[in-house]
Amino acid sequence: MRESVPIMAYNCKMFAVKKGLGLCSANPGPAADQAKTQLMNELTDLEAMKSAMGDVKQEDMSYHVENFVLSVFAQTDKEERTCETITKKNAMDFKRTGDFIAILELFDGCMTEEWVERKKYCTYKAGTIMKALKAGEQPARGNPFAPPEEEKKDDAGRRESV
């Protein structure tokens, strides 16, 4: 990702470092001090990543991140609705998509209520898919909370959200 989508790589790492530093502050002790030292070393790499991207404004960065996350969300949701058989990969894709959505917290105003709902949906789908697979059942497709008028049948007769 660092080479193919440097803005996302930078923001993923920035999000992880901020979360890690927050955890270190909330749980002081020798392990937290050691982790904090490691995280501070990552800040040097973040600066190198930022300078390699050139002069990217914060608004442009948030725009690129939101578009990337929207693309990943749409792809994950479409794949789950149209694939032959739902597998653990689909659950992992929803989990990863939810993690990408969380990165929007880095930008003021980007984590809208709509994104919060999408993140909840991703967490729900990842959990229900894994639960059904462990029980030996085929998971339900699509969004069970979508209003019926937002659903339509695709060519194969499966329901999909519009």
Side-chain angles (χ1 to χ4, degrees), residues 98-150:
D99 292 341
F100 279 140
I101 292 171
I103 292 169
L104 294 173
E105 294 172 14
L106 290 172
F107 306 102
D108 291 334
C110 275
M111 190 54 121
T112 62
E113 186 60 36
E114 184 178 2
W115 280 115
V116 170
E117 289 302 313
R118 286 178 179 163
K119 186 171 188 275
K120 287 178 186 177
Y121 173 69
C122 288
T123 302
Y124 170 81
K125 288 301 289 185
T128 56
I129 289 170
M130 290 305 297
K131 184 178 178 181
L133 292 174
K134 285 182 182 179
E137 302 168 357
Q138 184 61 21
R141 293 180 184 270
N143 186 351
F145 307 111
E149 63 272 4
E150 288 186 18

Coordinates of all heavy atoms in Angstrom, one line a residue, residues 98-150:
G98 N -14.2 -1.8 7.9 CA -14.5 -1.1 9.1 C -13.3 -0.4 9.7 O -13.4 0.8 10.2
D99 N -12.2 -1.0 9.6 CA -10.9 -0.4 10.1 C -10.5 0.8 9.2 O -10.1 1.8 9.7 CB -9.8 -1.4 10.1 CG -10.0 -2.5 11.1 OD1 -10.7 -2.3 12.1 OD2 -9.3 -3.6 11.0
F100 N -10.7 0.7 7.9 CA -10.5 1.8 7.1 C -11.4 3.0 7.4 O -11.0 4.2 7.4 CB -10.6 1.5 5.6 CG -9.4 0.8 5.0 CD1 -9.6 -0.3 4.1 CD2 -8.1 1.2 5.3 CE1 -8.5 -0.9 3.5 CE2 -7.0 0.5 4.7 CZ -7.2 -0.5 3.8
I101 N -12.7 2.7 7.6 CA -13.6 3.7 8.0 C -13.2 4.5 9.2 O -13.3 5.7 9.3 CB -15.1 3.2 8.2 CG1 -15.6 2.7 6.8 CG2 -16.0 4.2 8.8 CD1 -16.9 1.9 6.9
A102 N -12.6 3.8 10.2 CA -12.1 4.4 11.4 C -11.1 5.4 11.2 O -11.0 6.4 11.9 CB -11.6 3.3 12.4
I103 N -10.3 5.3 10.1 CA -9.3 6.3 9.8 C -9.9 7.6 9.5 O -9.2 8.7 9.7 CB -8.4 5.7 8.6 CG1 -7.7 4.5 9.1 CG2 -7.5 6.8 8.1 CD1 -7.0 3.8 8.0
L104 N -11.1 7.7 9.1 CA -11.8 9.0 8.9 C -11.8 9.9 10.1 O -12.0 11.1 10.1 CB -13.2 8.8 8.3 CG -13.2 8.2 6.9 CD1 -14.7 7.9 6.6 CD2 -12.6 9.0 5.9
E105 N -11.6 9.2 11.3 CA -11.6 10.0 12.6 C -10.5 11.0 12.6 O -10.5 11.9 13.4 CB -11.5 9.0 13.8 CG -12.7 8.1 14.0 CD -12.5 7.1 15.0 OE1 -11.5 7.2 15.8 OE2 -13.3 6.1 15.1
L106 N -9.4 10.8 11.8 CA -8.3 11.7 11.7 C -8.7 13.1 11.2 O -8.0 14.0 11.5 CB -7.2 11.1 10.8 CG -6.4 9.9 11.3 CD1 -5.5 9.4 10.3 CD2 -5.6 10.3 12.6
F107 N -9.8 13.1 10.5 CA -10.1 14.4 9.8 C -11.4 15.0 10.4 O -12.4 14.3 10.5 CB -10.4 14.1 8.3 CG -9.2 13.5 7.6 CD1 -9.2 12.1 7.4 CD2 -8.1 14.2 7.3 CE1 -8.1 11.5 6.8 CE2 -7.0 13.6 6.7 CZ -7.0 12.2 6.4
D108 N -11.4 16.2 10.8 CA -12.5 16.9 11.3 C -13.7 16.9 10.3 O -13.5 17.3 9.2 CB -12.2 18.3 11.7 CG -11.2 18.4 12.9 OD1 -11.2 17.5 13.7 OD2 -10.5 19.4 13.0
G109 N -14.8 16.5 10.7 CA -16.0 16.5 9.9 C -16.2 15.3 9.0 O -17.2 15.2 8.3
C110 N -15.2 14.5 8.8 CA -15.3 13.4 7.9 C -16.1 12.2 8.4 O -16.8 11.5 7.7 CB -13.9 12.8 7.4 SG -13.3 13.8 6.1
M111 N -16.0 12.0 9.8 CA -16.7 10.8 10.4 C -18.2 11.2 10.6 O -18.6 11.5 11.8 CB -16.0 10.4 11.6 CG -16.5 9.1 12.2 SD -16.5 7.8 11.0 CE -15.5 6.6 11.8
T112 N -18.9 11.3 9.6 CA -20.3 11.7 9.6 C -21.2 10.5 10.2 O -20.7 9.4 10.4 CB -20.9 12.0 8.2 OG1 -20.8 10.8 7.4 CG2 -20.1 13.2 7.6
E113 N -22.4 10.8 10.5 CA -23.3 9.8 11.0 C -23.5 8.6 10.0 O -23.5 7.5 10.4 CB -24.7 10.4 11.3 CG -25.6 9.4 12.0 CD -25.1 8.9 13.4 OE1 -24.5 9.6 14.1 OE2 -25.4 7.7 13.6
E114 N -23.4 9.0 8.7 CA -23.5 7.9 7.7 C -22.3 7.0 7.8 O -22.5 5.8 7.7 CB -23.6 8.6 6.3 CG -23.8 7.6 5.2 CD -23.9 8.3 3.8 OE1 -23.8 9.5 3.8 OE2 -24.1 7.6 2.9
W115 N -21.1 7.5 8.0 CA -19.9 6.7 8.1 C -20.0 5.9 9.4 O -19.5 4.7 9.4 CB -18.7 7.5 8.1 CG -18.3 7.9 6.7 CD1 -18.2 9.1 6.1 CD2 -17.9 7.0 5.6 NE1 -17.9 9.0 4.8 CE2 -17.6 7.7 4.5 CE3 -17.8 5.6 5.5 CZ2 -17.2 7.2 3.2 CZ3 -17.4 5.0 4.3 CH2 -17.1 5.8 3.2
V116 N -20.5 6.4 10.5 CA -20.6 5.7 11.7 C -21.5 4.5 11.5 O -21.2 3.4 11.9 CB -21.2 6.6 12.9 CG1 -21.5 5.8 14.1 CG2 -20.1 7.7 13.2
E117 N -22.6 4.7 10.8 CA -23.6 3.6 10.5 C -22.9 2.5 9.6 O -23.1 1.3 9.8 CB -24.8 4.1 9.8 CG -25.7 4.9 10.8 CD -26.1 4.1 12.0 OE1 -26.6 2.9 11.8 OE2 -26.0 4.6 13.1
R118 N -22.1 3.0 8.6 CA -21.4 2.0 7.7 C -20.4 1.2 8.5 O -20.2 0.0 8.3 CB -20.7 2.8 6.6 CG -21.7 3.3 5.5 CD -20.9 4.0 4.5 NE -21.9 4.5 3.4 CZ -21.6 5.4 2.6 NH1 -20.4 6.0 2.5 NH2 -22.5 5.7 1.7
K119 N -19.7 1.9 9.5 CA -18.8 1.1 10.3 C -19.5 0.1 11.2 O -19.0 -1.1 11.3 CB -18.0 2.1 11.2 CG -16.9 1.5 12.0 CD -16.0 2.6 12.6 CE -14.8 2.0 13.2 NZ -15.0 1.4 14.6
K120 N -20.6 0.5 11.7 CA -21.4 -0.5 12.5 C -21.8 -1.7 11.6 O -21.8 -2.8 12.0 CB -22.6 0.2 13.1 CG -22.3 1.1 14.3 CD -23.6 1.7 14.8 CE -23.3 2.8 15.9 NZ -24.5 3.4 16.3
Y121 N -22.3 -1.3 10.4 CA -22.7 -2.4 9.5 C -21.6 -3.3 9.2 O -21.8 -4.5 9.1 CB -23.2 -1.7 8.2 CG -23.5 -2.6 7.1 CD1 -24.6 -3.5 7.1 CD2 -22.8 -2.6 5.9 CE1 -24.9 -4.3 6.1 CE2 -23.1 -3.5 4.8 CZ -24.1 -4.3 4.9 OH -24.4 -5.2 3.9
C122 N -20.4 -2.8 8.9 CA -19.2 -3.7 8.6 C -18.9 -4.6 9.8 O -18.6 -5.8 9.6 CB -18.0 -2.8 8.3 SG -18.1 -2.0 6.7
T123 N -18.9 -4.0 11.0 CA -18.7 -4.8 12.2 C -19.8 -5.9 12.4 O -19.5 -7.1 12.6 CB -18.7 -3.9 13.5 OG1 -17.7 -2.9 13.3 CG2 -18.4 -4.7 14.7
Y124 N -21.0 -5.5 12.1 CA -22.1 -6.5 12.2 C -22.0 -7.6 11.2 O -22.1 -8.8 11.5 CB -23.5 -5.7 12.0 CG -24.6 -6.7 11.8 CD1 -25.3 -7.2 12.9 CD2 -25.1 -7.0 10.5 CE1 -26.3 -8.1 12.7 CE2 -26.2 -7.8 10.3 CZ -26.8 -8.4 11.4 OH -27.8 -9.3 11.2
K125 N -21.7 -7.2 9.9 CA -21.5 -8.2 8.9 C -20.4 -9.2 9.1 O -20.5 -10.4 8.9 CB -21.4 -7.6 7.5 CG -22.6 -6.9 6.9 CD -23.8 -7.9 6.8 CE -23.5 -8.8 5.6 NZ -24.7 -9.7 5.3
A126 N -19.2 -8.6 9.6 CA -18.1 -9.5 9.9 C -18.4 -10.5 10.9 O -18.1 -11.7 10.8 CB -16.9 -8.6 10.3
G127 N -19.1 -10.0 12.0 CA -19.5 -10.9 13.1 C -20.5 -12.0 12.7 O -20.4 -13.1 13.0
T128 N -21.6 -11.5 12.0 CA -22.6 -12.5 11.6 C -22.1 -13.5 10.6 O -22.6 -14.7 10.7 CB -23.9 -11.8 11.1 OG1 -23.5 -10.9 10.0 CG2 -24.6 -11.0 12.2
I129 N -21.3 -13.1 9.7 CA -20.7 -14.1 8.7 C -19.9 -15.1 9.5 O -20.1 -16.3 9.2 CB -19.9 -13.3 7.7 CG1 -20.8 -12.5 6.7 CG2 -19.0 -14.4 6.9 CD1 -20.0 -11.6 5.8
M130 N -19.0 -14.7 10.4 CA -18.2 -15.7 11.1 C -19.1 -16.6 12.0 O -18.8 -17.8 12.1 CB -17.2 -14.9 11.9 CG -16.1 -14.3 11.1 SD -15.2 -15.5 10.0 CE -14.5 -16.6 11.2
K131 N -20.1 -16.0 12.6 CA -21.0 -16.8 13.5 C -21.7 -17.9 12.7 O -21.8 -19.0 13.1 CB -22.0 -15.9 14.2 CG -22.9 -16.6 15.2 CD -23.8 -15.6 15.9 CE -24.7 -16.3 16.8 NZ -25.6 -15.3 17.5
A132 N -22.2 -17.5 11.5 CA -23.0 -18.4 10.7 C -22.0 -19.5 10.1 O -22.4 -20.7 10.1 CB -23.6 -17.7 9.5
L133 N -20.8 -19.1 9.7 CA -19.9 -20.1 9.2 C -19.5 -21.1 10.3 O -19.4 -22.3 10.0 CB -18.7 -19.4 8.6 CG -18.9 -18.6 7.3 CD1 -17.7 -17.8 6.9 CD2 -19.4 -19.5 6.2
K134 N -19.3 -20.6 11.5 CA -18.9 -21.5 12.6 C -20.0 -22.5 12.9 O -19.8 -23.6 13.3 CB -18.5 -20.7 13.8 CG -17.1 -20.1 13.7 CD -16.7 -19.4 15.0 CE -15.4 -18.7 14.8 NZ -14.9 -18.0 15.9
A135 N -21.3 -22.0 12.7 CA -22.4 -22.9 13.0 C -22.7 -23.8 11.8 O -23.7 -24.6 11.8 CB -23.6 -22.0 13.3
G136 N -21.9 -23.7 10.7 CA -22.1 -24.5 9.5 C -23.3 -24.0 8.6 O -23.8 -24.8 7.8
E137 N -23.7 -22.8 8.8 CA -24.8 -22.2 8.0 C -24.2 -21.2 7.0 O -23.1 -20.7 7.1 CB -25.7 -21.5 8.9 CG -26.3 -22.3 10.0 CD -27.0 -21.5 11.1 OE1 -27.0 -20.3 11.0 OE2 -27.5 -22.1 12.0
Q138 N -25.0 -21.0 5.9 CA -24.7 -20.0 4.9 C -25.2 -18.6 5.4 O -26.4 -18.5 5.7 CB -25.3 -20.3 3.6 CG -24.9 -19.4 2.5 CD -23.4 -19.3 2.2 OE1 -22.6 -20.1 2.5 NE2 -23.0 -18.2 1.6
P139 N -24.4 -17.6 5.6 CA -24.8 -16.3 6.1 C -25.8 -15.6 5.2 O -25.8 -15.9 4.0 CB -23.5 -15.5 6.2 CG -22.4 -16.5 6.1 CD -22.9 -17.7 5.3
A140 N -26.7 -14.8 5.8 CA -27.6 -14.0 5.0 C -26.8 -12.9 4.2 O -25.8 -12.4 4.7 CB -28.6 -13.4 5.9
R141 N -27.3 -12.6 3.1 CA -26.7 -11.6 2.2 C -27.3 -10.3 2.4 O -28.4 -10.1 2.8 CB -26.8 -12.0 0.7 CG -26.1 -13.2 0.4 CD -26.3 -13.5 -1.1 NE -25.7 -14.8 -1.5 CZ -24.4 -14.9 -1.9 NH1 -23.6 -13.8 -2.0 NH2 -23.9 -16.1 -2.2
G142 N -26.5 -9.2 2.2 CA -27.0 -7.9 2.2 C -27.3 -7.3 3.5 O -26.9 -7.9 4.6
N143 N -27.9 -6.2 3.5 CA -28.2 -5.4 4.8 C -29.6 -5.8 5.3 O -30.6 -5.4 4.7 CB -28.1 -3.9 4.5 CG -28.2 -3.1 5.7 OD1 -28.6 -3.6 6.8 ND2 -28.0 -1.8 5.6
P144 N -29.7 -6.5 6.4 CA -31.0 -6.9 6.9 C -31.8 -5.7 7.5 O -33.0 -5.8 7.7 CB -30.7 -7.9 8.0 CG -29.3 -7.5 8.4 CD -28.6 -7.0 7.2
F145 N -31.1 -4.6 7.6 CA -31.7 -3.4 8.2 C -32.2 -2.4 7.2 O -32.8 -1.4 7.5 CB -30.8 -2.7 9.2 CG -30.2 -3.6 10.2 CD1 -28.9 -4.0 10.2 CD2 -31.0 -4.2 11.2 CE1 -28.3 -4.8 11.1 CE2 -30.5 -5.1 12.1 CZ -29.1 -5.4 12.1
A146 N -31.9 -2.7 5.9 CA -32.3 -1.8 4.8 C -33.8 -1.9 4.6 O -34.4 -2.9 4.6 CB -31.6 -2.2 3.5
P147 N -34.5 -0.7 4.4 CA -35.9 -0.7 4.1 C -36.2 -1.5 2.8 O -35.3 -1.5 1.9 CB -36.2 0.8 3.9 CG -35.1 1.5 4.5 CD -33.9 0.6 4.4
P148 N -37.3 -2.2 2.7 CA -37.6 -3.0 1.5 C -37.6 -2.3 0.2 O -37.2 -2.8 -0.8 CB -39.0 -3.5 1.8 CG -39.2 -3.4 3.3 CD -38.3 -2.2 3.7
E149 N -37.9 -1.0 0.2 CA -37.9 -0.3 -1.1 C -36.5 0.0 -1.6 O -36.3 0.3 -2.8 CB -38.7 1.1 -1.0 CG -38.1 2.1 -0.1 CD -38.6 2.0 1.4 OE1 -39.3 1.0 1.6 OE2 -38.2 2.8 2.2
E150 N -35.5 -0.2 -0.7 CA -34.1 -0.1 -1.2 C -33.5 -1.4 -1.7 O -32.4 -1.4 -2.1 CB -33.2 0.4 0.0 CG -33.5 1.9 0.3 CD -32.5 2.4 1.4 OE1 -31.4 1.7 1.6 OE2 -32.8 3.4 2.0

